[in-house]
């Protein structure tokens, strides 16, 4: 158990809908990262927050957004969902903000868009 | 951006034998190279990492080597056991918050 929690574990929804994925980092970790894992794209970095502020963006679509709250938990919002958004979404956390710090991954949320 | 290639995509080894996974990276500025193990239904778990000022690092049955000149790094698992069966990912970073992952290697240890 990495200490990173993600909810829900599974999510099934329809095209055009909007969903919110939630992540709680390990106790003491200030940085949260979101990744998407799909069969064709592999593990792709989406976005990172550090102590409430956006720190870095990767291959994140404009339909997706995220935020980190004062209690350091983070939410990833996916809107206007398409079939291709079906994937595993992982949250990871680290103590500090740089990726030289070990990132601990949560168990993921499996999103299925029908 | 950084491009990480990983080979092989699948690897089957007899229990007790060694397994080697190789990765190459494109950005010479990359300086951090972690390896993750992902078991079915779980998130990736860091098993070992190496920084650019080190050529080799060992942790029990696992070792990683780095050749900065050739821009490649490798994971070595010795005396493989059934619990080593999983998907392994290499990654590279130049300290800019972003990890770039390889495509993964599915390792199967045959009893």
């Amino acid at each position: 158990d990495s200490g990173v929690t993600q909810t829900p574990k599974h999510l099934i929804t329809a095209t055009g809908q909007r969903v919110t994925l939630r992540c709680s980092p390990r106790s003491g970790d200030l940085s949260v990262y979101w990744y998407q894992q799909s069969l064709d794209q592999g593990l792709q970095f989406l976005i990172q927050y550090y102590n409430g502020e956006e720190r870095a963006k990767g291959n994140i679509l404009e339909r997706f957004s995220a935020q980190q709250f004062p209690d350091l938990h983070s939410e990833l919002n996916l809107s206007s969902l398409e079939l291709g958004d079906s994937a595993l979404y992982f949250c990871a956390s680290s103590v500090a903000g740089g990726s030289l710090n070990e990132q601990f991954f949560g168990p993921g949320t499996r999103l299925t868009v029908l | 951006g950084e491009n990480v290639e990983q080979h092989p995509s699948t690897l089957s080894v007899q229990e007790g034998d060694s397994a080697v996974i190789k990765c190459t990276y494109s950005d010479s500025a990359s300086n951090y190279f972690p390896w993750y193990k992902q078991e079915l239904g779980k998130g990736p778990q860091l098993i070992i990492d190496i920084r650019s000022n080190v050529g080799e690092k060992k942790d029990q049955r696992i070792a990683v080597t780095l050749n900065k000149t050739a821009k490649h790094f490798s994971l070595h698992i010795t005396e493989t056991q059934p619990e080593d069966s999983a998907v392994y990912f290499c990654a590279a970073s130049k300290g800019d918050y972003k990890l770039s992952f390889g495509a993964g290697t599915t390792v199967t240890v045959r009893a």
Side-chain angles (χ1 to χ4, degrees):
Chain A
D1 184 1
S2 66
V4 178
T5 60
Q6 288 187 248
T7 56
K9 194 172 179 61
H10 301 279
L11 199 48
I12 301 174
T13 189
T15 54
Q17 296 299 304
R18 172 190 169 93
V19 297
T20 297
L21 313 183
R22 182 188 170 102
C23 167
S24 292
R26 291 187 324 151
S27 177
D29 284 0
L30 299 178
S31 200
V32 169
Y33 310 78
W34 286 98
Y35 291 86
Q36 180 193 60
Q37 185 176 39
S38 61
L39 283 175
D40 56 343
Q41 295 290 324
L43 261 168
Q44 297 280 323
F45 168 73
L46 295 178
I47 197 165
Q48 181 212 359
Y49 278 80
Y50 175 72
N51 204 20
E53 294 190 4
E54 182 184 305
R55 177 65 67 91
K57 265 187 175 180
N59 303 321
I60 188 166
L61 301 172
E62 286 191 9
R63 300 183 286 109
F64 296 0
S65 65
Q67 52 184 327
Q68 185 179 27
F69 295 86
D71 67 354
L72 300 178
H73 91 270
S74 178
E75 293 180 357
L76 179 67
N77 301 295
L78 315 176
S79 62
S80 303
L81 285 168
E82 302 175 358
L83 295 177
D85 297 328
S86 295
L88 269 168
Y89 290 84
F90 288 104
C91 166
S93 72
S94 67
V95 171
S99 63
L100 292 182
N101 299 284
E102 179 178 352
Q103 294 185 25
F104 295 86
F105 280 74
T109 292
R110 181 174 293 280
L111 174 66
T112 302
V113 182
L114 302 175
Chain B
E2 174 69 278
N3 181 44
V4 179
E5 294 192 357
Q6 182 172 348
H7 300 281
S9 57
T10 61
L11 182 59
S12 180
V13 296
Q14 190 69 37
E15 183 178 356
D17 287 350
S18 295
V20 180
I21 304 171
K22 298 182 179 182
C23 289
T24 60
Y25 60 98
S26 60
D27 193 336
S28 57
S30 290
N31 55 8
Y32 176 61
F33 307 92
W35 286 88
Y36 285 84
K37 175 184 180 182
Q38 186 175 20
E39 297 176 332
L40 200 61
K42 297 185 178 181
Q45 177 190 7
L46 180 73
I47 55 172
I48 196 168
D49 58 13
I50 191 167
R51 300 175 195 274
S52 60
N53 58 346
V54 175
E56 182 176 1
K57 184 176 178 180
K58 285 184 181 179
D59 183 3
Q60 299 182 343
R61 297 186 296 107
I62 293 173
V64 59
T65 58
L66 171 65
N67 183 327
K68 286 217 71 179
T69 303
K71 290 191 284 188
H72 69 70
F73 55 113
S74 301
L75 178 72
H76 304 252
I77 307 174
T78 58
E79 299 173 15
T80 53
Q81 300 169 5
E83 53 264 37
D84 295 328
S85 295
V87 181
Y88 291 80
F89 292 94
C90 62
S93 167
K94 50 184 179 182
D96 60 350
Y97 321 112
K98 176 186 172 183
L99 281 174
S100 297
F101 284 87
T105 297
T106 300
V107 173
T108 302
V109 179
R110 307 186 308 272

